[in-house]
Amino acid sequence: MNTGVKITAFAAAVAATFAAAYGVGAVVDPVTPDRQPAAHAPHDRQPSARPGAGGAAGDGRADVVPAGLQISQAGYTLELRTPRVTAGERAELRFAVRDEEGRLLTSYRREHGKELHLVLASRDLVTYRHLHPTRAADGTWSTPVTVPTAGSYRVFADFTPAVEGAAGLTLGADLAVSGAYRAPGLPEPATTATVDGYTVTLDGGLTPGRPSELTLSVARKGRPVTDLEPYLGAYGHLVALRAGDLAYLHVHPDGGPGDGVTEPGPGISFTTTAPTAGAYRLFLDFRHDGVVRTAAFTVRADGAAAAPRPADGERERDAHQH
Ligand SMILES: [Cu+2]
């Protein structure tokens, strides 16, 4: 098949895919027949490809870059003013967020009780910190931090500008930590993790491209913990990072303190969507006896990413390949 024919066949397949999507949309959603067909797969919070932002419009596929991979997105830029620290030494991590005009951002919408959540993770996914820096009036953020081991780290600023129409953003920047470094491998997948005498058990798995429910159950000395303490408005906070590039997944707790349904343990449930197959490292922060602890798990999402379009589109495309 020559190139011209290939392109024509591909265009036909894309057209068929769109047709299938429109048709299915009308069938499964009869309640709102005038609803616009989805231009891309549903996603959490901030997609990197905004309409008109120069995404791959026209190829019929979603072009959503996971959070945390970019230092600048949607007009906001993370300025890490402390790009290097030394392992084992207390340092003051300083940073700011600039808007499209280059001004320091000073108004943030509170999420989980904080204007900004700062996550620090080593690229080998062994070290993890969830911090709440302090903002000076001029927009400069700072937090003391002691990074235990040398290596390459990623700093994630998770925030929502208090600006009309602004969505939540997670910007990421690299942080270098000086010292002798021995690269560890990614910890093997496991369904239990221990921290400070607590055992946390993971139920559920990750399916690429589909929302997955994960339940983490906390026990101490073999007894289920049923008096977890609220931490930032929830019984637990979960962050998932993709091995290989540290794509940052937003994870939503299913219920929380004060909703009249959610128990304070032992299980804490979350929903998240792994964008692709591959390994992810999950970090759960929970509070008990007044101390916040972190349990970490390696989880593998198996299988091909779920197509954002119905399988019919795939079949159409296959039918055009000889
Ligand atoms: Cu936080």
Side-chain angles (χ1 to χ4, degrees):
M1 188 189 277
N2 68 41
T3 310
V5 173
K6 263 185 191 162
I7 289 169
T8 307
F10 179 71
V14 168
T17 305
F18 268 109
Y22 279 53
V24 169
V27 171
V28 299
D29 196 11
V31 182
T32 54
D34 57 347
R35 197 185 68 158
Q36 290 290 309
H40 42 241
H43 47 73
D44 291 330
R45 307 179 85 200
Q46 180 69 37
S48 75
R50 291 172 296 158
D59 70 357
R61 292 187 306 131
D63 182 26
V64 177
V65 176
L69 298 176
Q70 301 177 91
I71 201 167
S72 189
Q73 188 183 340
Y76 295 93
T77 300
L78 174 59
E79 185 176 288
L80 184 59
R81 297 186 182 167
T82 318
R84 282 181 306 277
V85 299
T86 300
E89 287 181 12
R90 188 184 154 100
E92 192 73 9
L93 201 65
R94 291 162 58 81
F95 63 97
V97 176
R98 288 196 188 272
D99 67 12
E100 221 148 6
E101 277 76 48
R103 296 174 302 218
L104 296 189
L105 184 65
T106 53
S107 52
Y108 293 79
R109 194 169 303 150
R110 284 179 172 270
E111 302 279 354
H112 301 296
K114 299 285 176 185
E115 289 189 341
L116 184 145
H117 301 265
L118 192 78
V119 162
L120 176 74
S122 57
R123 284 218 173 256
D124 56 38
L125 291 169
V126 171
T127 302
Y128 175 87
R129 297 274 191 281
H130 179 161
L131 306 166
H132 297 113
T134 309
R135 180 171 60 81
D138 72 348
T140 306
W141 292 90
S142 62
T143 179
V145 67
T146 304
V147 184
T149 53
S152 180
Y153 283 69
R154 191 81 172 157
V155 167
F156 301 94
D158 185 339
F159 64 94
T160 304
V163 172
E164 179 92 39
L169 271 175
T170 303
L171 302 179
D174 285 342
L175 171 72
V177 181
S178 303
Y181 181 63
R182 282 177 65 93
L186 182 70
E188 288 295 315
T191 53
T192 60
T194 54
V195 53
D196 292 350
Y198 290 83
T199 302
V200 181
T201 306
L202 169 69
D203 280 308
L206 295 173
T207 305
R210 289 204 183 84
S212 305
E213 189 176 306
L214 301 163
T215 300
L216 295 116
S217 303
V218 184
R220 184 163 64 170
K221 293 174 185 145
R223 313 183 91 188
V225 172
T226 55
D227 57 348
L228 289 171
E229 294 154 5
Y231 171 52
L232 302 169
Y235 288 121
H237 283 266
L238 188 66
V239 165
L241 301 174
R242 180 167 64 183
D245 64 0
L246 274 60
Y248 181 102
L249 275 54
H250 289 289
V251 183
H252 303 272
D254 300 333
D259 66 4
V261 206
T262 308
E263 304 282 347
I268 319 164
S269 294
F270 301 91
T271 302
T272 191
T273 301
T276 59
Y280 293 79
R281 190 86 171 138
L282 270 46
F283 299 94
L284 172 75
D285 289 332
F286 63 96
R287 183 155 78 178
H288 191 240
D289 281 353
V291 180
V292 177
R293 296 181 171 85
T294 305
F297 301 82
T298 299
V299 175
R300 192 165 281 284
D302 286 317
R309 300 267 170 239
D312 293 359
E314 288 301 317
R315 281 201 291 277
E316 278 299 328
R317 196 170 306 158
D318 289 345
H320 287 81
Q321 288 170 348
H322 303 291

